Amino acid sequence: MSETHNFVVLGASGAGLNIAHSFLRHIGPELKELGKVYHVYIVDSSSHFFWNTGSPRSLVSATLLPADKLFAPIADGFKSYDASLYTVIHGTAEFWDVGGRTITIKLADSENTQTLPYYTLVLATGTRTPSPATSLHGNYTISKAAIADLNTKLASATSVIVSGGGPTGVETAGEVGQFLNGSAGWFSYRPSNPKAKVTLITDADRLLPVLSKPRALKAETFLNMVGVDVVYNVKVLSSVNEADGKITLNLSNGEQWTADVHIPAWGTTPNSDYVPADLKNDRGYIKTNGTTLRADAAGSRVYVAGDVGDYSRGGFHNLYATIPTLVTNIKRDLHAAATSSEPDAKPEGPDRLFTPNNSETQAVPIGPRGVGAVNGWGLPSFLIWLFKGRNYMIGNIPVTVNGYNAPTP
Ligand SMILES: Cc1cc2nc3c(=O)[nH]c(=O)nc-3n(C[C@H](O)[C@H](O)[C@H](O)COP(=O)(O)OP(=O)(O)OC[C@H]3O[C@@H](n4cnc5c(N)ncnc54)[C@H](O)[C@@H]3O)c2cc1C
C-alpha cells in the first residue's frame, strides 16, 4: 500500500458536507482500488451544522421554531463510514501555508493548534452575516445564545427595526410583523390590532434585487399586511446601545432612530481570514476558476466550494449546481495522479465545466404569504408558504448532514 494522502475539507456546511460525503462514498473507494489510500479531514469552527434558512422564524420565537431544531452534530453525519477513513476536527483554520501545502487549525477544545498537511484541499468556509443569530460566528452555541436573546427581547418589544432589503431582511421583518402584529384580514391591508412599530429599512430603492420589480413591490404589500413599514434609500451608519436596553441607529439621512430591537440583515463577509491576500479578490472572496472551480493560483488539487468563492451567487440552489462539477473534477484530478508517476499529472479529456444559472430564482416567505420565482416563472403565494414558509424546509437538515444527496461524480 502507498502512503496515506490527506483530503482536507475546510467548512462543513452545504458545500463542504456534500463534497466530503461524495468523496467518502464514491471517489475514495475507487482510488483505493487503484492502490491509493486517503484520509478525509472535515474541519469546522462549529461542532454543529446550522440550518440558518430557518433562523428568521427561530429568532422571533422558540414557540414558532425552536432553535434546537436548526442545529445538528456534524460528526453524527459520518458515523456510517469506517472510522479509520475520516476525522472530524472541531477547530478553525487560521493559517494556510500555500507553498508548504499545510493548514494550521486552532483546536476548539484546547489552546493547541494542529498543522495538517494536505494532498487535496477543499475551501468551503462560506460567509457570515453581522448577527450570529443568522449565521455561524464560531461554535453553534454562540448562534443559539443570540437567538435566545432575540426571543427574549422580541417577546415584549413595541418597536423593531430590521435593516437590509434582501431575502434575510424581508423574511425576518415578515416573521417579526406576523408574530407581534398578526396579519391583515380579508379586504384589509393592515393588521387590525398591531402591538409594535416594525420597520424594514434598506439603502436600496427596492427590495429583493434577485426578483423582478413587480414581485418586489408585492413583497412590500405583504410586509404591510403584517404591519411592517418599508423605508428605502436609508443606510444604517452606526448604532449605540442605550442604558435602558434600547438601541439608537445613526442613519444616512441624518436622523437617529431608537427602537427596542434592531436586527441587522445586510452585508455578508467571507470567512477567508486564513487565505493569503493574493488569493482573494478585493472583497475577500477566494479567487476561483469560475468554470472548473479549482483555485488555479493555489497549486494542484485545491478547490473552492460554496459562498466563499468569488464565482458564487450565494444560496443553496446555486451552491448545489456547482457540486457535480467540483466532484467530477476532483475525481478526474485524483485519478490522473493515481495512474501516473507524476503527482501533478493533468487528467486527459475535457474538464466538467460549471455554467451559472443567472435566472430569477428565489422563494421568500413573508409571514403567512410569500413571493418568489423559479427560472423567471412566478410562484403563487400559497406555494411559497407550502414549499418554504411552512417550516423553513428543516427536513433538509438530515439530508445535508448525512449527505443523502451527495452526487456520484
Ligand atoms: C438567514 C439566512 C437565510 C438563508 N436562507 C436561504 C434560503 O432560504 N435558500 C437558499 O438557497 N439560501 C439561503 N441562505 C444562503 C445559504 O445559507 C448559503 O448559501 C449556504 O449556507 C452557503 O453554504 P456554504 O457551505 O458555502 O457556507 P456556510 O453555510 O457559510 O458555512 C461555512 C462553514 O464554514 C465554517 N467555517 C468558517 N470559517 C471557518 C474556518 N476558518 N475554519 C473552519 N471552519 C470555518 C463555518 O462554521 C460554517 O459551518 C440563507 C442565508 C442566511 C444567512
Side-chain angles (χ1 to χ4, degrees), residues 144-391:
K144 203 173 157 183
I147 291 172
D149 183 51
L150 281 171
N151 289 171
T152 306
K153 287 180 175 155
L154 285 168
S156 58
T158 56
S159 55
V160 180
I161 299 172
V162 178
S163 54
T168 302
V170 171
E171 288 176 4
T172 302
E175 294 295 329
V176 172
Q178 162 83 358
F179 177 66
L180 293 175
N181 295 332
S183 183
W186 291 103
F187 310 114
S188 174
Y189 282 97
R190 288 294 213 180
S192 56
N193 190 19
K195 270 175 47 191
K197 179 170 172 49
V198 184
T199 312
L200 175 64
I201 60 179
T202 169
D203 64 352
D205 60 2
R206 52 160 295 174
L207 299 172
L208 302 172
V210 167
L211 296 179
S212 69
K213 192 94 190 268
R215 281 188 258 281
L217 289 171
K218 201 167 167 193
E220 180 176 2
T221 304
F222 287 166
L223 285 167
N224 295 160
M225 292 173 88
V226 290
V228 177
D229 294 306
V230 181
V231 176
Y232 296 98
N233 300 311
V234 174
K235 192 179 172 120
V236 177
L237 300 179
S238 60
S239 63
V240 178
N241 291 318
E242 305 290 354
D244 60 0
K246 290 181 187 283
I247 186 160
T248 297
L249 305 181
N250 296 308
L251 304 176
S252 57
N253 61 2
E255 294 180 12
Q256 288 191 323
W257 289 5
T258 298
D260 292 327
V261 182
H262 168 228
I263 305 171
W266 51 275
T268 50
T269 306
N271 296 317
S272 61
D273 290 352
Y274 65 92
V275 179
D278 60 323
L279 297 183
K280 300 188 272 194
N281 72 10
D282 54 3
R283 292 167 53 237
Y285 290 85
I286 303 173
K287 291 180 192 168
T288 313
N289 180 321
T291 52
T292 66
L293 310 187
R294 298 185 184 101
D296 290 333
S300 301
R301 300 178 301 279
V302 180
Y303 310 86
V304 188
D307 287 9
V308 76
D310 66 351
Y311 65 95
S312 172
R313 293 183 73 221
F316 279 109
H317 55 286
N318 289 316
L319 181 166
Y320 289 146
T322 68
I323 302 294
T325 298
L326 278 157
V327 295
T328 302
N329 289 340
I330 289 171
K331 175 178 159 171
R332 282 168 47 71
D333 292 350
L334 298 187
H335 271 254
T339 51
S340 165
S341 55
E342 168 55 52
D344 293 338
K346 296 281 172 265
E348 287 179 11
D351 285 321
R352 183 162 180 166
L353 302 183
F354 171 65
T355 313
N357 175 357
N358 295 326
S359 69
E360 182 196 9
T361 298
Q362 196 163 64
V364 184
I366 303 169
R369 304 174 184 86
V371 295
V374 173
N375 292 330
W377 294 88
L379 296 172
S381 177
F382 81 91
L383 262 191
I384 305 280
W385 177 84
L386 192 68
F387 158 72
K388 186 171 174 188
R390 192 165 48 97
N391 64 4

Side-chain angles (χ1 to χ4, degrees), residues 77-94:
F78 291 89
K79 280 186 174 162
S80 62
Y81 304 110
D82 177 343
S84 68
L85 297 178
Y86 75 92
T87 304
V88 177
I89 298 179
H90 182 195
T92 299
E94 287 192 335

Side-chain angles (χ1 to χ4, degrees), residues 18 21-22 25-26 320 323 396 398-400 402-408:
N18 254 288
H21 281 292
S22 188
R25 206 166 286 155
H26 306 295
Y320 289 146
I323 302 294
N396 282 323
V399 175
T400 309
N402 296 307
Y404 293 147
N405 284 343
T408 311

